[in-house]
Amino acid sequence: AIDSAEPERRADAIRWIASHGTPDDAPVLQAHLTDASVEVREVAEAGLWQLWSHSGDEKIDALLARGVDEMRGGDLDAAVATFSSIIERRPDFAEGWNKRATALFLAGELRRSLADCNEVIKRNPAHFGALAGFGQIYFQLEQYERAISFWQRALQVNPNLTGVEISIKATEQLI
C-alpha cells in the first residue's frame, strides 16, 4: 500500500509503519515527505516524529513522555533531568538528545542545546527537527548566515517546513 496510486492507501500504510516500525523504517517515511499528496506528506512527517519517539524500550518511552509533559508544563529543570536520565540509559536514542536540546533551548542554555543537537545529528542525520533547531539557536546567537544554512538543510530533508521557509526569508531581509 505504501506505493499505491491512491493517496489514502499510502497514508494508511505510513500510519501503520509509524505505529509498528522501527527507526530503520524512517527512510520509507522520509521518501513520502515529497509525495504529490499534501495529506500523505503531513502523515509522513507526523509518522517520522512518532517513529523517532519509540526507543524500543517501554520504560524509556514512558520517561520520554514524562519529560515532554514536564516541558509542556514549563518545568524545564525537571524535563532536562528526565531527558538526561534517558540519555544515560540509552545514549544511542537520538530523540532523548533532541528533546533535551529543546528543553535546554527553552531554558536559554543555547550552547548546551547546540551540543545536544550535534548528538542528534550524529545518530540521525536526517532529523529535520534538530536541523531546524540548529537554525533557531544560531539565529538567537545572531549568527544569521549559519542559521540560514541549517534551515536550508532542514528543508532539503523535509520541504514542508513552512515556518522554516518564513524564517529564512525574514532572516535574509534582516541581513
Short mmCIF file of all heavy atoms in Angstrom, two decimals, residues 55-112:
data_model
loop_
_atom_site.label_atom_id
_atom_site.label_comp_id
_atom_site.label_asym_id
_atom_site.label_seq_id
_atom_site.Cartn_x
_atom_site.Cartn_y
_atom_site.Cartn_z
N SER A 55 11.75 4.14 21.35
CA SER A 55 13.10 3.65 21.59
C SER A 55 13.19 2.13 21.50
O SER A 55 14.27 1.57 21.38
CB SER A 55 13.56 4.08 22.99
OG SER A 55 12.78 3.40 23.97
N GLY A 56 12.03 1.47 21.60
CA GLY A 56 12.02 0.01 21.68
C GLY A 56 12.04 -0.48 23.12
O GLY A 56 12.06 -1.68 23.37
N ASP A 57 12.01 0.44 24.07
CA ASP A 57 12.03 0.12 25.49
C ASP A 57 10.88 0.89 26.14
O ASP A 57 10.90 2.13 26.16
CB ASP A 57 13.38 0.51 26.07
CG ASP A 57 13.51 0.24 27.56
OD1 ASP A 57 12.52 0.38 28.30
OD2 ASP A 57 14.63 -0.06 28.00
N GLU A 58 9.91 0.18 26.68
CA GLU A 58 8.73 0.83 27.25
C GLU A 58 9.07 1.81 28.37
O GLU A 58 8.44 2.86 28.49
CB GLU A 58 7.75 -0.22 27.78
CG GLU A 58 7.04 -0.98 26.69
CD GLU A 58 6.04 -1.99 27.23
OE1 GLU A 58 5.61 -1.86 28.40
OE2 GLU A 58 5.68 -2.91 26.48
N LYS A 59 10.08 1.49 29.18
CA LYS A 59 10.45 2.38 30.28
C LYS A 59 11.04 3.68 29.76
O LYS A 59 10.75 4.76 30.27
CB LYS A 59 11.43 1.68 31.23
CG LYS A 59 10.79 0.57 32.03
CD LYS A 59 11.80 -0.12 32.93
CE LYS A 59 11.12 -1.28 33.67
NZ LYS A 59 12.07 -2.03 34.48
N ILE A 60 11.86 3.57 28.73
CA ILE A 60 12.46 4.77 28.13
C ILE A 60 11.36 5.61 27.47
O ILE A 60 11.34 6.84 27.60
CB ILE A 60 13.56 4.39 27.11
CG1 ILE A 60 14.72 3.69 27.82
CG2 ILE A 60 14.02 5.59 26.30
CD1 ILE A 60 15.50 4.54 28.78
N ASP A 61 10.44 4.95 26.76
CA ASP A 61 9.35 5.68 26.11
C ASP A 61 8.47 6.39 27.13
O ASP A 61 8.02 7.51 26.90
CB ASP A 61 8.52 4.74 25.24
CG ASP A 61 9.32 4.20 24.05
OD1 ASP A 61 10.42 4.71 23.77
OD2 ASP A 61 8.81 3.26 23.40
N ALA A 62 8.24 5.75 28.29
CA ALA A 62 7.45 6.38 29.35
C ALA A 62 8.19 7.59 29.92
O ALA A 62 7.57 8.63 30.20
CB ALA A 62 7.15 5.36 30.46
N LEU A 63 9.51 7.47 30.07
CA LEU A 63 10.30 8.62 30.52
C LEU A 63 10.24 9.76 29.51
O LEU A 63 10.13 10.93 29.90
CB LEU A 63 11.76 8.21 30.74
CG LEU A 63 12.13 7.57 32.06
CD1 LEU A 63 13.59 7.11 32.05
CD2 LEU A 63 11.90 8.53 33.22
N LEU A 64 10.32 9.42 28.24
CA LEU A 64 10.25 10.44 27.20
C LEU A 64 8.91 11.18 27.29
O LEU A 64 8.88 12.42 27.25
CB LEU A 64 10.43 9.82 25.81
CG LEU A 64 10.58 10.82 24.67
CD1 LEU A 64 11.95 11.49 24.71
CD2 LEU A 64 10.37 10.14 23.33
N ALA A 65 7.83 10.44 27.44
CA ALA A 65 6.51 11.06 27.56
C ALA A 65 6.44 11.95 28.80
O ALA A 65 5.89 13.06 28.76
CB ALA A 65 5.43 9.99 27.60
N ARG A 66 7.01 11.49 29.91
CA ARG A 66 7.02 12.29 31.13
C ARG A 66 7.80 13.59 30.92
O ARG A 66 7.37 14.68 31.31
CB ARG A 66 7.62 11.50 32.29
CG ARG A 66 7.51 12.26 33.62
CD ARG A 66 8.03 11.47 34.78
NE ARG A 66 9.44 11.79 34.95
CZ ARG A 66 10.29 11.06 35.63
NH1 ARG A 66 9.93 9.92 36.19
NH2 ARG A 66 11.55 11.43 35.76
N GLY A 67 8.97 13.47 30.29
CA GLY A 67 9.78 14.66 30.03
C GLY A 67 9.07 15.65 29.13
O GLY A 67 9.14 16.87 29.35
N VAL A 68 8.37 15.16 28.13
CA VAL A 68 7.60 16.04 27.24
C VAL A 68 6.51 16.75 28.04
O VAL A 68 6.30 17.96 27.88
CB VAL A 68 7.02 15.25 26.05
CG1 VAL A 68 6.01 16.08 25.28
CG2 VAL A 68 8.14 14.80 25.11
N ASP A 69 5.83 16.02 28.91
CA ASP A 69 4.80 16.64 29.76
C ASP A 69 5.41 17.71 30.66
O ASP A 69 4.83 18.79 30.84
CB ASP A 69 4.08 15.58 30.60
CG ASP A 69 3.13 14.72 29.79
OD1 ASP A 69 2.77 15.12 28.66
OD2 ASP A 69 2.76 13.63 30.28
N GLU A 70 6.57 17.41 31.24
CA GLU A 70 7.24 18.39 32.10
C GLU A 70 7.61 19.64 31.30
O GLU A 70 7.42 20.76 31.77
CB GLU A 70 8.50 17.77 32.72
CG GLU A 70 8.19 16.68 33.73
CD GLU A 70 9.39 15.81 34.09
OE1 GLU A 70 10.42 15.81 33.34
OE2 GLU A 70 9.30 15.10 35.11
N MET A 71 8.11 19.43 30.10
CA MET A 71 8.50 20.55 29.25
C MET A 71 7.27 21.38 28.89
O MET A 71 7.31 22.61 28.98
CB MET A 71 9.21 20.03 27.99
CG MET A 71 9.85 21.09 27.16
SD MET A 71 11.02 20.49 25.92
CE MET A 71 10.17 19.15 25.13
N ARG A 72 6.20 20.71 28.48
CA ARG A 72 4.96 21.44 28.14
C ARG A 72 4.41 22.21 29.34
O ARG A 72 3.82 23.27 29.18
CB ARG A 72 3.91 20.46 27.63
CG ARG A 72 4.16 20.00 26.24
CD ARG A 72 3.02 19.14 25.73
NE ARG A 72 3.33 18.61 24.42
CZ ARG A 72 3.00 17.42 24.00
NH1 ARG A 72 2.29 16.60 24.77
NH2 ARG A 72 3.32 17.01 22.79
N GLY A 73 4.60 21.66 30.53
CA GLY A 73 4.13 22.30 31.75
C GLY A 73 5.05 23.42 32.24
O GLY A 73 4.76 24.05 33.25
N GLY A 74 6.16 23.62 31.55
CA GLY A 74 7.08 24.69 31.91
C GLY A 74 8.11 24.33 32.96
O GLY A 74 8.89 25.18 33.39
N ASP A 75 8.14 23.07 33.38
CA ASP A 75 9.13 22.64 34.37
C ASP A 75 10.37 22.16 33.62
O ASP A 75 10.64 20.96 33.49
CB ASP A 75 8.55 21.53 35.26
CG ASP A 75 9.41 21.26 36.48
OD1 ASP A 75 10.56 21.77 36.54
OD2 ASP A 75 8.94 20.53 37.37
N LEU A 76 11.14 23.12 33.14
CA LEU A 76 12.28 22.81 32.27
C LEU A 76 13.39 22.08 33.01
O LEU A 76 14.05 21.21 32.43
CB LEU A 76 12.79 24.08 31.60
CG LEU A 76 11.76 24.79 30.70
CD1 LEU A 76 12.35 26.07 30.13
CD2 LEU A 76 11.27 23.87 29.59
N ASP A 77 13.62 22.41 34.28
CA ASP A 77 14.65 21.72 35.05
C ASP A 77 14.32 20.23 35.16
O ASP A 77 15.19 19.37 34.97
CB ASP A 77 14.81 22.32 36.44
CG ASP A 77 15.45 23.71 36.41
OD1 ASP A 77 16.13 24.03 35.42
OD2 ASP A 77 15.26 24.46 37.38
N ALA A 78 13.07 19.93 35.46
CA ALA A 78 12.65 18.53 35.57
C ALA A 78 12.75 17.84 34.21
O ALA A 78 13.20 16.68 34.12
CB ALA A 78 11.22 18.43 36.11
N ALA A 79 12.35 18.53 33.15
CA ALA A 79 12.42 17.96 31.81
C ALA A 79 13.87 17.63 31.44
O ALA A 79 14.15 16.53 30.93
CB ALA A 79 11.80 18.90 30.79
N VAL A 80 14.77 18.57 31.69
CA VAL A 80 16.19 18.33 31.38
C VAL A 80 16.69 17.13 32.17
O VAL A 80 17.40 16.27 31.63
CB VAL A 80 17.04 19.59 31.65
CG1 VAL A 80 18.52 19.28 31.62
CG2 VAL A 80 16.70 20.69 30.64
N ALA A 81 16.32 17.03 33.43
CA ALA A 81 16.74 15.89 34.25
C ALA A 81 16.18 14.58 33.70
O ALA A 81 16.89 13.57 33.64
CB ALA A 81 16.31 16.10 35.70
N THR A 82 14.92 14.59 33.31
CA THR A 82 14.31 13.37 32.77
C THR A 82 14.98 12.96 31.47
O THR A 82 15.32 11.78 31.28
CB THR A 82 12.79 13.58 32.55
OG1 THR A 82 12.19 13.88 33.81
CG2 THR A 82 12.15 12.35 31.95
N PHE A 83 15.20 13.91 30.57
CA PHE A 83 15.85 13.59 29.30
C PHE A 83 17.30 13.17 29.53
O PHE A 83 17.82 12.29 28.82
CB PHE A 83 15.76 14.77 28.32
CG PHE A 83 14.34 15.13 27.95
CD1 PHE A 83 13.94 16.45 27.92
CD2 PHE A 83 13.41 14.16 27.64
CE1 PHE A 83 12.64 16.80 27.58
CE2 PHE A 83 12.09 14.49 27.31
CZ PHE A 83 11.71 15.82 27.27
N SER A 84 17.96 13.74 30.52
CA SER A 84 19.33 13.33 30.86
C SER A 84 19.35 11.88 31.33
O SER A 84 20.27 11.12 30.99
CB SER A 84 19.92 14.24 31.94
OG SER A 84 20.08 15.56 31.45
N SER A 85 18.34 11.50 32.08
CA SER A 85 18.22 10.11 32.53
C SER A 85 18.08 9.16 31.34
O SER A 85 18.69 8.09 31.31
CB SER A 85 17.03 9.98 33.48
OG SER A 85 16.85 8.64 33.86
N ILE A 86 17.30 9.57 30.36
CA ILE A 86 17.14 8.76 29.14
C ILE A 86 18.48 8.61 28.44
O ILE A 86 18.87 7.51 28.04
CB ILE A 86 16.11 9.41 28.19
CG1 ILE A 86 14.71 9.34 28.80
CG2 ILE A 86 16.14 8.75 26.82
CD1 ILE A 86 13.67 10.17 28.07
N ILE A 87 19.21 9.72 28.30
CA ILE A 87 20.49 9.72 27.61
C ILE A 87 21.49 8.82 28.33
O ILE A 87 22.25 8.08 27.69
CB ILE A 87 21.02 11.16 27.45
CG1 ILE A 87 20.13 11.92 26.46
CG2 ILE A 87 22.47 11.18 27.02
CD1 ILE A 87 20.31 13.43 26.47
N GLU A 88 21.49 8.84 29.67
CA GLU A 88 22.39 7.97 30.44
C GLU A 88 22.07 6.49 30.18
O GLU A 88 22.98 5.67 30.08
CB GLU A 88 22.26 8.27 31.93
CG GLU A 88 22.86 9.59 32.34
CD GLU A 88 22.50 9.98 33.78
OE1 GLU A 88 22.04 9.11 34.55
OE2 GLU A 88 22.68 11.17 34.11
N ARG A 89 20.80 6.19 30.10
CA ARG A 89 20.38 4.79 29.92
C ARG A 89 20.47 4.32 28.47
O ARG A 89 20.74 3.15 28.22
CB ARG A 89 18.94 4.61 30.40
CG ARG A 89 18.79 4.83 31.88
CD ARG A 89 17.33 4.76 32.28
NE ARG A 89 17.16 5.22 33.65
CZ ARG A 89 16.04 5.12 34.31
NH1 ARG A 89 14.98 4.59 33.76
NH2 ARG A 89 15.97 5.57 35.55
N ARG A 90 20.17 5.23 27.52
CA ARG A 90 20.15 4.88 26.11
C ARG A 90 20.81 5.97 25.28
O ARG A 90 20.15 6.73 24.58
CB ARG A 90 18.71 4.70 25.63
CG ARG A 90 17.97 3.47 26.07
CD ARG A 90 18.42 2.18 25.38
NE ARG A 90 18.41 2.22 23.94
CZ ARG A 90 17.36 1.95 23.17
NH1 ARG A 90 16.23 1.58 23.71
NH2 ARG A 90 17.46 2.00 21.87
N PRO A 91 22.13 6.08 25.35
CA PRO A 91 22.81 7.17 24.64
C PRO A 91 22.66 7.08 23.11
O PRO A 91 22.86 8.08 22.42
CB PRO A 91 24.27 7.02 25.06
CG PRO A 91 24.40 5.65 25.61
CD PRO A 91 23.06 5.25 26.12
N ASP A 92 22.25 5.93 22.61
CA ASP A 92 22.06 5.78 21.17
C ASP A 92 20.70 6.28 20.69
O ASP A 92 20.46 6.41 19.49
CB ASP A 92 22.21 4.31 20.77
CG ASP A 92 21.20 3.42 21.48
OD1 ASP A 92 20.91 3.65 22.67
OD2 ASP A 92 20.69 2.47 20.85
N PHE A 93 19.80 6.62 21.61
CA PHE A 93 18.44 7.05 21.28
C PHE A 93 18.43 8.54 20.96
O PHE A 93 18.45 9.39 21.85
CB PHE A 93 17.51 6.70 22.45
CG PHE A 93 16.07 7.05 22.26
CD1 PHE A 93 15.40 6.76 21.08
CD2 PHE A 93 15.36 7.66 23.29
CE1 PHE A 93 14.06 7.08 20.92
CE2 PHE A 93 14.02 7.98 23.14
CZ PHE A 93 13.36 7.69 21.95
N ALA A 94 18.39 8.86 19.69
CA ALA A 94 18.51 10.25 19.22
C ALA A 94 17.45 11.17 19.81
O ALA A 94 17.71 12.34 20.11
CB ALA A 94 18.47 10.30 17.70
N GLU A 95 16.23 10.65 19.98
CA GLU A 95 15.16 11.53 20.42
C GLU A 95 15.33 11.99 21.87
O GLU A 95 14.86 13.06 22.24
CB GLU A 95 13.79 10.89 20.20
CG GLU A 95 12.65 11.87 20.14
CD GLU A 95 12.82 12.97 19.09
OE1 GLU A 95 13.50 12.78 18.06
OE2 GLU A 95 12.26 14.06 19.32
N GLY A 96 16.02 11.21 22.68
CA GLY A 96 16.34 11.67 24.03
C GLY A 96 17.19 12.93 23.97
O GLY A 96 16.94 13.91 24.69
N TRP A 97 18.20 12.90 23.10
CA TRP A 97 19.06 14.07 22.90
C TRP A 97 18.26 15.23 22.33
O TRP A 97 18.44 16.38 22.74
CB TRP A 97 20.21 13.73 21.95
CG TRP A 97 21.20 12.76 22.48
CD1 TRP A 97 21.22 11.41 22.25
CD2 TRP A 97 22.32 13.04 23.32
NE1 TRP A 97 22.30 10.84 22.90
CE2 TRP A 97 22.99 11.82 23.55
CE3 TRP A 97 22.83 14.21 23.88
CZ2 TRP A 97 24.13 11.73 24.33
CZ3 TRP A 97 23.97 14.12 24.66
CH2 TRP A 97 24.61 12.89 24.88
N ASN A 98 17.38 14.95 21.36
CA ASN A 98 16.62 16.02 20.73
C ASN A 98 15.69 16.72 21.72
O ASN A 98 15.60 17.94 21.74
CB ASN A 98 15.82 15.48 19.55
CG ASN A 98 15.12 16.58 18.80
OD1 ASN A 98 15.76 17.51 18.30
ND2 ASN A 98 13.81 16.52 18.73
N LYS A 99 15.02 15.93 22.53
CA LYS A 99 14.10 16.53 23.49
C LYS A 99 14.87 17.35 24.53
O LYS A 99 14.42 18.42 24.94
CB LYS A 99 13.23 15.47 24.16
CG LYS A 99 12.25 14.79 23.22
CD LYS A 99 11.21 15.76 22.69
CE LYS A 99 10.08 15.04 21.98
NZ LYS A 99 10.13 15.16 20.54
N ARG A 100 16.03 16.85 24.95
CA ARG A 100 16.81 17.64 25.90
C ARG A 100 17.31 18.93 25.24
O ARG A 100 17.30 19.99 25.87
CB ARG A 100 17.97 16.84 26.48
CG ARG A 100 18.64 17.60 27.64
CD ARG A 100 19.67 16.79 28.37
NE ARG A 100 20.91 16.69 27.60
CZ ARG A 100 22.01 16.11 28.04
NH1 ARG A 100 22.04 15.55 29.25
NH2 ARG A 100 23.10 16.06 27.30
N ALA A 101 17.70 18.84 23.98
CA ALA A 101 18.12 20.04 23.26
C ALA A 101 17.00 21.08 23.24
O ALA A 101 17.24 22.28 23.43
CB ALA A 101 18.54 19.69 21.83
N THR A 102 15.78 20.62 23.04
CA THR A 102 14.63 21.53 23.02
C THR A 102 14.42 22.17 24.39
O THR A 102 14.23 23.38 24.49
CB THR A 102 13.36 20.77 22.58
OG1 THR A 102 13.58 20.19 21.30
CG2 THR A 102 12.15 21.69 22.53
N ALA A 103 14.46 21.36 25.45
CA ALA A 103 14.28 21.89 26.80
C ALA A 103 15.38 22.89 27.14
O ALA A 103 15.11 23.94 27.74
CB ALA A 103 14.24 20.75 27.81
N LEU A 104 16.61 22.58 26.76
CA LEU A 104 17.72 23.49 27.02
C LEU A 104 17.55 24.80 26.25
O LEU A 104 17.83 25.88 26.78
CB LEU A 104 19.05 22.82 26.67
CG LEU A 104 19.49 21.70 27.60
CD1 LEU A 104 20.65 20.91 26.98
CD2 LEU A 104 19.86 22.24 28.97
N PHE A 105 17.10 24.71 25.01
CA PHE A 105 16.84 25.90 24.21
C PHE A 105 15.80 26.78 24.92
O PHE A 105 15.98 27.99 25.07
CB PHE A 105 16.36 25.53 22.81
CG PHE A 105 15.97 26.71 21.97
CD1 PHE A 105 16.93 27.47 21.33
CD2 PHE A 105 14.63 27.09 21.85
CE1 PHE A 105 16.57 28.58 20.56
CE2 PHE A 105 14.26 28.19 21.09
CZ PHE A 105 15.23 28.94 20.45
N LEU A 106 14.71 26.15 25.35
CA LEU A 106 13.65 26.89 26.02
C LEU A 106 14.14 27.52 27.33
O LEU A 106 13.65 28.58 27.73
CB LEU A 106 12.45 25.97 26.30
CG LEU A 106 11.71 25.48 25.05
CD1 LEU A 106 10.68 24.42 25.44
CD2 LEU A 106 11.05 26.65 24.31
N ALA A 107 15.13 26.88 27.96
CA ALA A 107 15.71 27.40 29.20
C ALA A 107 16.78 28.46 28.93
O ALA A 107 17.35 29.02 29.87
CB ALA A 107 16.30 26.25 30.02
N GLY A 108 17.06 28.72 27.66
CA GLY A 108 18.05 29.73 27.31
C GLY A 108 19.49 29.23 27.35
O GLY A 108 20.42 30.03 27.25
N GLU A 109 19.67 27.93 27.47
CA GLU A 109 21.01 27.35 27.51
C GLU A 109 21.41 26.94 26.09
O GLU A 109 21.43 25.76 25.74
CB GLU A 109 21.05 26.17 28.48
CG GLU A 109 20.78 26.59 29.91
CD GLU A 109 21.04 25.48 30.90
OE1 GLU A 109 22.07 24.79 30.77
OE2 GLU A 109 20.19 25.31 31.80
N LEU A 110 21.72 27.94 25.29
CA LEU A 110 21.91 27.73 23.86
C LEU A 110 23.12 26.87 23.53
O LEU A 110 23.05 26.01 22.64
CB LEU A 110 22.00 29.08 23.14
CG LEU A 110 20.79 30.01 23.33
CD1 LEU A 110 20.98 31.29 22.55
CD2 LEU A 110 19.50 29.31 22.93
N ARG A 111 24.23 27.07 24.21
CA ARG A 111 25.45 26.29 23.91
C ARG A 111 25.22 24.80 24.22
O ARG A 111 25.63 23.94 23.45
CB ARG A 111 26.66 26.81 24.69
CG ARG A 111 27.02 28.24 24.35
CD ARG A 111 27.66 28.36 23.00
NE ARG A 111 27.92 29.76 22.70
CZ ARG A 111 28.19 30.22 21.52
NH1 ARG A 111 28.24 29.40 20.49
NH2 ARG A 111 28.40 31.50 21.32
N ARG A 112 24.59 24.52 25.34
CA ARG A 112 24.29 23.11 25.67
C ARG A 112 23.29 22.52 24.68
O ARG A 112 23.40 21.35 24.30
CB ARG A 112 23.75 23.01 27.10
CG ARG A 112 24.81 23.22 28.16
CD ARG A 112 24.27 23.05 29.57
NE ARG A 112 23.78 21.69 29.80
CZ ARG A 112 22.93 21.36 30.76
NH1 ARG A 112 22.45 22.29 31.57
NH2 ARG A 112 22.55 20.12 30.92
#
